[in-house]
Structures are given as structure tokens and as C-alpha cells.
Amino acid sequence: MRSSPYSTNSNKGKQGAPPRKKACQNCTRSKVRCGLEKPVCSRCRSKGRSCQYPPGRVATSEIEVTGTANDAGEDYTQLLDIHGFVDTATAPESVSFVPQSGPAAAFRSPRPRPVTSGQTGRLDLVFTDIDLTPSPNAVDIRDRWLKPYLLPPLGRDEIPKIYHPFTLQYISIILKTYPRSMLKDGGFPPIIHHTQVNTNHLPQSLANCYSLVRMWEQAAPGSETMVMGTVEAEMERLANETMSQHDYDVLCSFQAYLVYTILMYFSPLGNVSAVTDKTMMTLMELAFRTAQNGLFCTAEITHTRPNWESWIVVSAKRRALYTMYLFSSIYNSDRGLPNFVADEIKGVYVPESRVLWEAADRGVWEKEYDWHLLEWEDGMLEISELWRSAETGSTERRERLEKWVRGVDEFGMMVFAICAHIHGC
């Protein structure tokens, strides 16, 4: 019996079409286009994630997941969906500040899924063994930053630092992106090192920060008061933590408080900023707590290689301090308060190269740091070398700046651009 020509053509079309390849699991969850490269797709490779494809081939009747982020939006259902370099590790649950029922329950963070590693091994990081040199001038740093909120600058030869309005706009636009970078799958702002997030020991302050930033940015109409109260309660908890905490926990508390302050200032709920002088003074106090424990590794002072954990902590500290200083400049300028050059941190190092900051494991970092020591035999670039001085514009200074700029990441380039605009180079 002859078949209908229509059914024959239809069967040929089904048999001749090759089966579609299915996106990897990470791209499927994020609803973004997958490059389909194997064993690791380009998107997972760029983000340092484990890349896994579902077993078997996909029938032609199944829908291929190749839409872009603009087509379907990022997958924000996991508030702490953190993918990293650890092997079969699970981040601990954060302390919940969100009711278990009612309208606010929609913002509750589910328990993170286990994350696995592909070609990289488990990150064996122990942040309890941090070797830093205490800062003797931490009190001076705190007092200088607090002064605009307490007393006018009397009796000192200080010249206020003037920001051009366009420079302030530039700083504001960049800082505003820091909390929002935490909304993306596995994202983190440049003041938080990737190992602080991609680990099986996620600190409570940072775990809560990821959940509360998501809650703030996705607040439903009518829930603004509840969301603001929840974030303010967490900020109060951070402010009241004892100074007997371990240095790493102090740093994480400072980072979280700084993210909340930036979030509340640049993305206020109800168009009313909750950031006040009291908020800024608490921020400065937390900065003092982390600064007094040290802004240099002991090995950095002797021009030797520190352990990776110590370097991660001290580098994140310096980045958070610079960010706080830039944010305070915005806050002060908006209120007509003076800004000054922070002479107390003039010897602190600028952000190191991208390859050091983004190193995926200890072996890579140690190799790159050895090259770093050879390249900076004459001493690492200090933040004061970006300020105006008698050496500004000299051949030696320009050579050091160019050497640093060649390898710096976006955060370091932002710091350089702001300093160059204010002081020249």
C-alpha cells in the first residue's frame, strides 16, 4: 500500500534533520545562549565554572535552549546560586532574616546546590592563618575620615580636594554596579575576591549580603518598608559585632556593610536615601577595625611571597578601603562637606594585576606572584604615586605607572583614572 506523499515527506524531514545539541546545565539554568563547546563551553570557561552536559542526545521534538539573556532574563531564582572552583562543596545556609511565610517569603534564599569542579581541584583555603602586620596609624585613618561629620578642619594645613562634577558622575555610575553584580549567577563586585564566595565556607555576613541585595533589588511594590527594615537590621548586627572577631570575619563584615551602604544610597527604595552621617560613621568604624589588623602582609614588607590566603585578605581590604574612600567623596560632595587627600594611606599598595586577582587556584597564583616579585624589584607602586607631587610627570614615575597599567584590571584602572583626573600623572 502506497503512502501519502505528505506523510512520506514528513517522515523524511524527521529522519534527515540532525538532532539538536542541548546546552550545558549552567547555561540552561541561566537561560542564556550556550556555545556548545566541549568539554567546557566558552561561557563556563570565562566564568571559571564546572561545565556539564546532560547525557545522551536530544530528540528533535525537544526545545533547544539557546535564547539570550535579553530573551528570557537571567535566572534569579537562586539567591545564593554560587558556582566556583571547589569540588563537591556546598555553601552553608545563611541566617534567614526573611519570614517563612507571607509576601516576604518569595525573597527567601533556598539552600545552595552542591557545586562540582571540572579540571581544577578543591580550593583548600584556610583563612584562619593570616599573617599581616598591624597598622599603627589605623586610628588616624578613622579620625581623618570621620572629621567631616564631627568637626570642621581647624588648625591644620589641609587643602580640600575638589572633584569635577563629571568625575563624581563617573564614580557614582561605577559604584552603583557593585551590588547589582551580585544579582548575576555567581557574580561578585571587585571588592570581594572570588574565593570568598566560591568556597564551602561562605561567611555568614557575605551569605546574608547576597540574599538581602536580591531582596532589595527585587522588592515588590508595597514591601519597601519591610525590605528596608530587614537590611537595616542586618547592618545594625554587623555594627554591633565584637572586635574580638577573627580578621577575616571583620573584613567580610566591612565588605557587606559597604555594599549595603552603596545599595541604599544609589538605589533607594521609595526615592528616599536611608544613608545618614551615622551610617557613614559606622562604616568608618568598620574600616578602622579591619585596617588596624593590617593593610600589608608580613611577607610583602620583606619583598617575599606571602601565602595565598593572607594576600587575598589584604588585597580585598585595600580594595574595600579605596572604594569606601571614593564613596565618602560622593557623599561629602553631595552635602557640601570637604574632601581631603588621605595622607594616612599614602604608603598602601595600589590594586595588583588582573592575573593575580583572578588566579583560579594556588598554583597559578604562586607562579604569577613570583613573576610579580621579579617585575617589581624596586618596590610595588603605592597609592601616593598616583597623587600630585614633585615626581609627577617625571620619567621614572611615568615608567612605573605604565608598567602597572599594562596589567591592571578594571578596578585598578578606575582608581588610576580618578587620581589622574584630580592630580594629573
Side-chain angles (χ1 to χ4, degrees):
M1 182 176 180
R2 296 183 61 183
S3 301
S4 166
Y6 300 102
S7 61
T8 301
N9 292 338
S10 176
N11 290 336
K12 286 183 178 180
K14 289 183 179 180
Q15 293 173 1
R20 296 178 180 177
K21 297 179 180 180
K22 193 170 184 180
C24 75
Q25 293 177 0
N26 287 330
C27 293
T28 300
R29 281 193 296 267
S30 298
K31 298 180 182 179
V32 298
R33 186 178 298 278
C34 181
L36 303 176
E37 298 91 348
K38 292 186 177 181
V40 182
C41 75
S42 56
R43 187 170 185 267
C44 290
R45 184 184 300 109
S46 65
K47 294 181 176 293
R49 300 177 184 164
S50 167
C51 185
Q52 296 182 350
Y53 287 89
R57 298 179 68 87
V58 184
T60 56
S61 60
E62 293 187 21
I63 299 175
E64 181 182 11
V65 183
T66 56
T68 64
N70 291 333
D71 295 332
E74 289 285 354
D75 181 8
Y76 293 153
T77 57
Q78 290 282 349
L79 299 186
L80 285 175
D81 187 12
I82 299 164
H83 300 272
F85 310 103
V86 294
D87 184 27
T88 62
T90 303
E93 286 189 272
S94 60
V95 175
S96 175
F97 291 90
V98 185
Q100 300 299 309
S101 60
F107 299 106
R108 189 170 63 250
S109 171
R111 183 174 180 83
R113 297 189 297 271
V115 295
T116 58
S117 173
Q119 299 176 352
T120 57
R122 179 188 294 272
L123 282 180
D124 185 19
L125 297 178
V126 182
F127 286 107
T128 57
D129 185 21
I130 306 300
D131 186 14
L132 308 185
T133 299
S135 299
N137 62 339
V139 174
D140 295 333
I141 294 174
R142 178 187 60 184
D143 292 346
R144 168 67 66 90
W145 287 334
L146 285 175
K147 186 166 54 179
Y149 315 118
L150 299 176
L151 295 172
L154 300 176
R156 298 185 62 175
D157 296 330
E158 294 176 319
I159 301 176
K161 181 172 60 176
I162 306 300
Y163 283 91
H164 191 280
F166 293 164
T167 307
L168 296 174
Q169 291 177 8
Y170 172 71
I171 299 172
S172 299
I173 290 173
I174 292 178
L175 295 187
K176 187 176 182 179
T177 67
Y178 286 5
R180 291 179 177 174
S181 66
M182 302 170 73
L183 298 176
K184 293 184 177 293
D185 185 17
F188 38 82
I191 63 174
I192 298 176
H193 195 264
H194 69 81
T195 58
Q196 295 182 260
V197 178
N198 296 314
T199 178
N200 55 341
H201 299 294
L202 183 62
Q204 176 185 325
S205 55
L206 294 184
N208 291 342
C209 189
Y210 269 82
S211 296
L212 295 180
V213 166
R214 184 69 52 83
M215 178 192 293
W216 185 281
E217 291 287 359
Q218 297 181 350
S223 68
E224 293 88 353
T225 300
M226 180 277 296
V227 173
M228 186 177 298
T230 304
V231 174
E232 289 178 338
E234 170 65 354
M235 295 175 72
E236 186 70 19
R237 185 188 72 82
L238 295 174
N240 292 331
E241 288 180 335
T242 64
M243 295 185 63
S244 61
Q245 284 183 297
H246 186 270
D247 191 20
Y248 180 58
D249 294 323
V250 174
L251 167 63
C252 294
S253 296
F254 174 48
Q255 290 170 315
Y257 198 97
L258 178 57
V259 168
Y260 295 137
T261 306
I262 293 173
L263 178 69
M264 295 169 67
Y265 194 76
F266 292 115
S267 303
L269 295 179
N271 295 321
V272 178
S273 175
V275 178
T276 64
D277 288 358
K278 179 181 178 182
T279 308
M280 297 300 294
M281 293 171 69
T282 303
L283 183 63
M284 308 304 177
E285 174 64 25
L286 293 175
F288 156 72
R289 294 179 187 179
T290 194
Q292 72 172 354
N293 292 329
L295 296 176
F296 294 92
C297 299
T298 303
E300 285 182 313
I301 298 175
T302 59
H303 203 65
T304 56
R305 189 182 70 203
N307 64 59
W308 194 24
E309 291 88 342
S310 297
W311 184 88
I312 289 170
V313 169
V314 82
S315 295
K317 278 188 182 189
R318 295 192 287 241
R319 286 172 173 248
L321 286 170
Y322 291 147
T323 300
M324 188 208 68
Y325 187 67
L326 293 175
F327 175 75
S328 66
S329 297
I330 297 292
Y331 182 87
N332 292 349
S333 297
D334 287 347
R335 283 156 178 72
L337 299 173
N339 287 303
F340 303 100
V341 175
D343 293 330
E344 293 80 5
I345 59 172
K346 62 183 179 181
V348 176
Y349 295 153
V350 294
E352 287 90 341
S353 67
R354 177 193 299 272
V355 293
L356 283 176
W357 180 254
E358 297 182 357
D361 57 59
R362 189 183 303 274
V364 172
W365 180 84
E366 289 180 349
K367 178 180 178 181
E368 294 296 341
Y369 199 89
D370 288 341
W371 282 108
H372 167 79
L373 291 175
L374 291 174
E375 188 175 19
W376 292 96
E377 288 182 313
D378 53 346
M380 180 58 186
L381 193 74
E382 299 176 358
I383 187 65
S384 56
E385 295 183 68
L386 303 182
W387 304 341
R388 188 185 307 278
S389 68
E391 290 76 29
T392 299
S394 65
T395 301
E396 181 182 1
R397 177 63 58 82
R398 287 288 177 86
E399 289 177 351
R400 286 175 59 79
L401 288 177
E402 291 173 5
K403 179 169 62 173
W404 173 62
V405 168
R406 284 196 298 268
V408 78
D409 66 352
E410 289 84 354
F411 180 82
M413 189 62 72
M414 175 199 67
V415 173
F416 173 64
I418 294 170
C419 291
H421 191 263
I422 297 173
H423 303 285
C425 59

